[in-house]
Amino acid sequence: MGITECDNMLMLLSLSQKMNEKDRERVTPLMIKGFRDAAEEGGTSVTGGQTVINPWIIVGGVASVVCQPNEFIMPDGAVPGDVLVLTKPLGTRVAVNAHQWLDQVCLDV
């Protein structure tokens, strides 16, 4: 949205339920370090987040910034032909939630 500086980030980490405990203990710190390093390279820090177990490994984040209204570009001004930059596939969270819901429904039957 045109913002060049970020105040802080929250990390959203999903570990695969197919990983055994030993692999999780080995991989998780590396994922956190990589995310933290990327945030620091971008001039911000990771101040919190959430970790869950899902069918897939997912790493994402939420960036926060405090700025004046004239410092950012509102997405409601988009017009056909504008370039859209997606940082992850659309529907990732919906797919994870649906998978978890289906697992629970199957267990309840």
Side-chain angles (χ1 to χ4, degrees):
M1 293 178 61
I3 300 300
T4 58
E5 294 182 22
C6 178
D7 294 323
N8 68 73
M9 291 192 72
L10 300 178
M11 178 179 178
L12 308 172
L13 175 62
S14 167
L15 301 171
S16 174
Q17 62 196 21
K18 297 175 184 173
M19 295 171 71
N20 61 46
E21 191 63 32
K22 182 179 177 183
D23 289 342
R24 281 191 197 131
E25 288 176 5
R26 183 178 301 145
V27 171
T28 303
L30 296 172
M31 293 172 70
I32 292 170
K33 182 182 181 326
F35 191 87
R36 182 175 287 131
D37 290 350
E40 288 175 3
E41 186 177 316
T44 192
S45 60
V46 180
T47 58
Q50 176 184 17
T51 303
V52 296
I53 304 293
N54 281 319
W56 313 280
I57 295 174
I58 301 171
V59 178
V62 177
S64 299
V65 66
V66 177
C67 63
Q68 297 296 318
N70 62 340
E71 294 178 310
F72 63 91
I73 302 166
M74 289 297 296
D76 60 356
V79 295
D82 282 355
V83 175
L84 215 45
V85 178
L86 302 177
T87 58
K88 67 175 184 156
L90 291 176
T92 303
R93 185 74 237 169
V94 173
V96 169
N97 289 349
H99 191 280
Q100 289 175 332
W101 179 80
L102 287 171
D103 281 350
Q104 187 60 44
V105 169
C106 292
L107 292 174
D108 290 343
V109 174

